């Protein structure tokens, strides 16, 4: 009965409030604030309904933009990042037709964050640049400084995702210069910058500075309730102590981070804390704890991937609709243009026939690639049943080639002698778990990876590692690293259109290959196509919808 009464009261109040807001900007702002701060924590569906009603009665571009951004913020709270981004894009189209630079910048900043969380860093950077170009046109000096600080902070997040930690530190310093000159939310924004400095210095292995900045952040938030930034600080301090082998101290901070993550819906926070937890359990040799956390992280990653895939799917649908509209326009053009089009089609038909075979190979390869991605144990890029791709080049495309070759010769000789490696079960499970982390963290993209390096990194010896790779990955060390690297490039080329704009030499460097030519040879051996041709076909598949079922 109480729930029914509450619903009736809220509904009646909302109807009158919305009607009042349609006439009075002050009433509009009060209702906007009430929905976001008071109604949404208690009744999210009602909050979304009111936000939608606000948009329907909004008479000006500003009110339409604000109501759309209210809905976008509510969907962001629910981690519905795709819906949040779509609403914000609609809001930007509306406000960009006005001279309200303040809201243009605010919407651009929101979109930059959404696309970063969707791991679409190219689009995130685009909106950051757009905000920087507009921020100087805002009349309010306080707003200019606050916005500039937030933009540089967002650019720092992008640099960290790209592993450019020196650049991220520069953006954070620039961000803080602006935050130092504002009055509202200064402590929280500064705390977030300190947390980002701690993370950057941690990745640079400067653990003393990392601890200093993490602690600064916690001090600034000492009187604030638990939040995402606090959780990241606790997690960062725990990670530092793990690196220093100070496991009891690491456990204390990790427990605090896990508590905050448990009460939060912020998936990136959960993912980071689960990653650190796995490292801790490996250090204390608690394989049961490791496996439990790993399952949680897999669940979070699946949810994050689902959000990103949902956005990409909707983007492809919009692209297909635009293509259909373009086709209708082409059909409506005059006869001379149609004749010219036919002439062009006839002229390229021979070339198309030549390319057809390559396209079939490409489509088959992508279909097989998608199947293998869904089967964690498959690992290799080569399919024995179809035999559609040749064996990879025998040249070792990692550093310390001679040492790797020698180690593999020793392994082969050992096998011919009939000797079997006897590895304790606990050691075996530890090495396999560490290999999983090695793959998840993309450490294979380092140009310095070698058999001896990886053995040292996993705290084992080359013979054990070679034996485990042969028995559990069904490949030697060279094949294992090349598989990981090519899979890494293929995954990013498929999922992030920005990668297709890189030069081949940049792709080679990102994957860890020592030269453009070596990368090209190995890539062609795996796919049957050169990197440039493969990218051309991949872009063509997504634009024209050819064999879309295989690619998505």
């Amino acid at each position: 009965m109480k729930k029914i009464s509450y619903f009736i009261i809220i509904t009646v109040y909302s109807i009158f409030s919305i009607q009042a807001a349609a006439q009075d900007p002050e009433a509009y702002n009060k209702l906007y604030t009430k929905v976001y701060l008071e109604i949404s924590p208690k009744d999210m569906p009602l909050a979304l309904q009111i936000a939608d009603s606000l948009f329907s009665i909004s008479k000006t571009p500003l009110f339409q933009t604000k109501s759309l951004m209210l809905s976008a913020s509510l969907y962001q709270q629910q981690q519905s990042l795709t819906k949040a981004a779509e609403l914000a894009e609609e809001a930007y189209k509306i406000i960009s037709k006005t001279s309200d630079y303040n809201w243009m910048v605010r919407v651009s900043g929101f979109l930059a964050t959404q696309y970063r969380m969707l791991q679409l860093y190219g689009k995130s950077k685009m909106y950051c640049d757009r905000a920087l170009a507009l921020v100087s046109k805002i009349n309010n000096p306080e707003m200019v400084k606050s916005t500039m600080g937030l933009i540089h902070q967002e650019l720092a997040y992008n640099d960290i995702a790209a592993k450019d930690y020196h650049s991220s530190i520069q953006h954070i310093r620039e961000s803080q210069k602006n935050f130092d000159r504002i009055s509202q939310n200064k402590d929280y924004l500064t705390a977030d910058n300190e947390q980002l400095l701690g993370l950057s210095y941690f990745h640079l292995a400067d653990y003393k500075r990392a601890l200093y900045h993490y602690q600064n952040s916690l001090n600034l938030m000492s009187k604030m309730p638990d939040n995402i930034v606090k959780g990241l600080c606790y997690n960062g301090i725990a990670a530092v102590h793990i690196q220093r082998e100070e496991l009891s101290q690491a456990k204390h901070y990790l427990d605090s981070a896990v508590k905050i993550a448990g009460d939060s819906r912020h998936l990136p926070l959960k993912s980071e804390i689960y990653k650190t937890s796995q490292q801790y359990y490996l250090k204390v040799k608690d394989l049961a704890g490791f496996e439990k956390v790993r399952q949680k992280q897999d669940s979070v990653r699946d949810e994050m991937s689902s959000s990103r895939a949902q956005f990409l799917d909707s983007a492809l649908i919009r692209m297909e609709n635009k293509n259909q509209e373009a086709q209708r326009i082409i059909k409506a053009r005059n006869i001379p243009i149609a004749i010219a089009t036919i002439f062009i089609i006839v002229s390229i038909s021979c070339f198309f026939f030549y390319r057809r075979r390559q396209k079939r190979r490409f489509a088959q390869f992508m279909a097989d690639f998608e199947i293998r991605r869904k089967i964690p144990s498959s690992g290799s890029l080569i399919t024995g049943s179809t035999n559609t791709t040749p064996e990879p080049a025998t040249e070792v495309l990692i550093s310390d080639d001679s040492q790797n070759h020698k180690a593999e010769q020793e392994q082969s000789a050992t096998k011919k002698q009939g000797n079997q490696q006897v590895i304790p079960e606990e050691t075996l499970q530890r090495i396999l778990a560490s290999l999983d982390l090695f793959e998840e963290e993309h450490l294979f993209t380092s140009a310095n990876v070698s058999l001896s390096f990886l053995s040292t990194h996993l705290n084992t010896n080359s013979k054990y590692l070679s034996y485990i790779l042969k028995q559990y990955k069904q490949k030697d060390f060279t094949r294992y690293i090349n598989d990981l690297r090519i899979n890494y490039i293929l995954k990013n080329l498929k999922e992030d259109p920005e990668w297709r704009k890189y030069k081949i030499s940049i792709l080679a460097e990102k994957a860890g290959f020592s030269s453009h030519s070596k990368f090209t040879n190995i890539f062609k051996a795996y796919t049957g196509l050169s990197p440039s041709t493969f990218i051309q076909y991949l872009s063509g598949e997504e634009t024209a919808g050819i064999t879309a079922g295989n690619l998505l």
Side-chain angles (χ1 to χ4, degrees):
M1 188 68 183
K2 289 183 179 180
K3 290 184 178 179
I4 296 174
S5 300
Y6 166 77
F7 179 79
I8 293 173
I9 292 170
I10 288 294
T11 303
V12 172
Y13 170 81
S14 300
I15 292 172
F16 283 105
S17 297
I18 291 170
Q19 290 176 345
Q23 308 298 327
D24 183 6
E26 185 177 350
Y28 185 102
N29 291 331
K30 286 182 179 178
L31 180 57
Y32 187 105
T33 303
K34 186 175 185 66
V35 170
Y36 188 76
L37 296 180
E38 297 180 27
I39 298 178
S40 65
K42 299 176 182 177
D43 192 339
M44 181 62 75
L46 178 60
L48 288 168
Q49 182 180 356
I50 295 173
D52 186 58
S53 298
L54 274 173
F55 176 76
S56 65
I57 58 92
S58 295
K59 304 300 183 184
T60 67
L62 174 59
F63 280 7
Q64 290 173 348
T65 298
K66 290 182 70 173
S67 61
L68 285 171
M69 291 307 297
L70 173 59
S71 296
S73 299
L74 295 175
Y75 278 112
Q76 183 191 39
Q77 289 183 25
Q78 294 184 304
Q79 288 296 303
S80 298
L81 303 182
T82 298
K83 185 64 176 179
E86 289 175 350
L87 289 169
E89 289 278 12
E90 186 177 350
Y92 189 84
K93 289 179 182 178
I94 293 172
I95 202 64
S96 63
K97 297 176 182 178
T98 72
S99 58
D100 192 331
Y101 300 111
N102 178 20
W103 271 93
M104 286 186 209
V105 170
R106 291 175 68 172
V107 177
S108 295
F110 182 90
L111 283 166
T113 300
Q114 299 312 297
Y115 287 128
R116 171 178 47 88
M117 295 177 71
L118 286 164
Q119 298 179 352
L120 298 172
Y121 301 113
K123 288 185 73 68
S124 177
K125 177 65 163 53
M126 180 188 75
Y127 277 103
C128 282
D129 292 341
R130 182 175 294 178
L132 281 173
L134 295 171
V135 71
S136 61
K137 298 181 180 181
I138 298 176
N139 294 326
N140 187 329
E142 173 94 356
M143 182 66 70
V144 170
K145 294 301 177 185
S146 176
T147 304
M148 286 290 290
L150 289 170
I151 294 171
H152 281 288
Q153 192 178 81
E154 189 62 41
L155 289 169
Y157 273 109
N158 278 277
D159 285 335
I160 290 172
K163 300 181 181 180
D164 190 350
Y165 305 114
H166 291 289
S167 180
S168 69
I169 291 172
Q170 291 178 359
H171 278 299
I172 297 166
R173 299 295 189 196
E174 191 64 33
S175 171
Q176 194 56 43
K177 288 179 184 179
N178 288 281
F179 288 158
D180 287 340
R181 300 166 67 181
I182 66 174
S183 56
Q184 295 183 348
N185 300 322
K186 181 177 179 178
D187 284 350
Y188 181 82
L189 293 172
T190 301
D192 201 4
N193 273 347
E194 289 289 327
Q195 179 269 138
L196 286 172
L197 284 172
L199 180 61
S200 298
Y201 281 117
F202 172 80
H203 284 297
L204 292 173
D206 191 341
Y207 302 129
K208 183 177 180 180
R209 285 190 179 182
L211 281 177
Y212 171 79
H213 288 291
Y214 280 134
Q215 194 58 56
N216 279 351
S217 181
L218 290 176
N219 291 340
L220 287 166
M221 295 185 293
S222 60
K223 297 181 180 180
M224 300 181 193
D226 287 346
N227 54 59
I228 294 170
V229 176
K230 271 190 179 181
L232 292 172
C233 285
Y234 288 136
N235 181 70
I237 294 174
V240 170
H241 287 306
I242 290 172
Q243 292 298 320
R244 291 180 166 184
E245 301 288 339
E246 299 164 348
L247 301 182
S248 60
Q249 296 181 58
K251 184 65 164 60
H252 169 73
Y253 286 100
L254 192 56
D255 287 344
S256 298
V258 169
K259 180 179 182 300
I260 293 176
D263 298 332
S264 173
R265 274 284 301 151
H266 195 269
L267 299 182
L269 171 67
K270 290 178 179 289
S271 181
E272 285 301 310
I273 292 174
Y274 291 154
K275 176 182 173 182
T276 304
S277 297
Q278 289 182 71
Q279 294 172 345
Y280 169 78
Y281 285 122
L282 279 178
K283 288 288 186 181
V284 299
K285 300 180 180 180
D286 183 351
L287 296 181
F290 173 87
E291 185 59 31
K292 183 178 179 180
V293 174
R294 182 182 178 184
Q295 290 176 4
K296 291 181 179 180
Q297 187 177 41
D298 288 344
S299 177
V300 168
R301 285 178 174 172
D302 287 345
E303 191 171 349
M304 292 171 68
S305 297
S306 176
S307 294
R308 186 167 184 270
Q310 182 183 355
F311 175 81
L312 293 175
D313 286 346
S314 63
L316 287 171
I317 290 171
R318 291 195 298 271
M319 186 181 297
E320 180 63 21
N321 290 338
K322 289 181 180 179
N323 288 336
Q324 291 177 0
E325 180 64 23
Q327 290 298 321
R328 285 193 291 269
I329 294 173
I330 290 173
K331 289 178 181 178
R333 288 179 179 177
N334 54 34
I335 294 176
I337 295 178
I339 294 174
T341 302
I342 293 172
F343 176 78
I344 293 173
I345 293 173
V346 172
S347 299
I348 64 172
S349 60
C350 293
F351 179 75
F352 176 81
F353 179 81
Y354 169 75
R355 289 289 215 181
R356 190 174 182 181
R357 184 178 179 183
Q358 284 187 318
K359 285 186 177 181
R360 286 178 176 174
R361 168 176 282 183
F362 169 82
Q364 182 62 53
F365 178 85
M366 292 305 297
D368 294 341
F369 178 68
E370 284 302 306
I371 293 172
R372 288 190 297 276
R373 287 182 63 192
K374 296 176 182 177
I375 305 175
S377 61
S378 62
S380 176
L381 288 163
I382 304 300
T383 53
S385 59
T386 60
N387 196 27
T388 56
T389 53
E391 286 293 320
T394 57
E395 184 175 12
V396 179
L397 301 186
I398 51 179
S399 63
D400 197 10
D401 291 353
S402 60
Q403 184 177 3
N404 290 335
H405 184 65
K406 180 178 179 181
E408 291 172 9
Q409 283 183 330
E410 292 175 357
Q411 179 189 0
S412 177
T414 302
K415 182 177 179 181
K416 289 180 180 179
Q417 293 169 5
N419 294 332
Q420 297 293 329
Q421 297 287 344
V422 179
I423 305 177
E425 180 63 21
E426 182 179 351
T427 300
L428 174 63
Q429 294 302 323
R430 178 183 60 80
I431 295 173
L432 288 173
S434 297
L435 276 174
D436 286 343
L437 278 179
F438 170 79
E439 296 174 11
E440 291 171 7
E441 295 176 356
H442 301 156
L443 299 181
F444 51 83
T445 59
S446 170
N448 297 321
V449 172
S450 65
L451 182 62
S452 60
F453 171 88
L454 184 54
S455 299
T456 303
H457 177 74
L458 301 182
N459 195 23
T460 186
N461 58 62
S462 298
K463 290 184 178 180
Y464 273 14
L465 178 57
S466 296
Y467 174 80
I468 288 173
L469 291 177
K470 200 69 176 177
Q471 293 298 314
Y472 293 89
K473 304 291 184 179
Q474 289 78 50
K475 62 195 74 174
D476 59 32
F477 177 79
T478 302
R479 180 63 170 274
Y480 171 66
I481 295 298
N482 285 341
D483 275 7
L484 291 174
R485 287 174 172 177
I486 298 299
N487 266 314
Y488 174 74
I489 292 297
L490 290 171
K491 178 177 181 295
N492 282 288
L493 286 175
K494 179 181 180 299
E495 295 180 353
D496 190 351
E498 290 299 316
W499 276 62
R500 301 170 204 165
K501 300 177 183 178
Y502 294 149
K503 294 181 179 179
I504 304 304
S505 58
I506 298 298
L507 292 177
E509 181 181 351
K510 282 183 173 290
F513 289 101
S514 58
S515 71
H516 173 290
S517 60
K518 289 182 178 180
F519 167 64
T520 299
N521 290 338
I522 291 298
F523 189 98
K524 189 170 184 179
Y526 280 101
T527 66
L529 300 168
S530 67
S532 57
T533 302
F534 185 92
I535 292 170
Q536 177 186 346
Y537 284 163
L538 184 59
S539 299
E541 292 284 334
E542 294 194 356
T543 302
I546 301 172
T547 63
N550 288 335
L551 295 178
L552 299 178

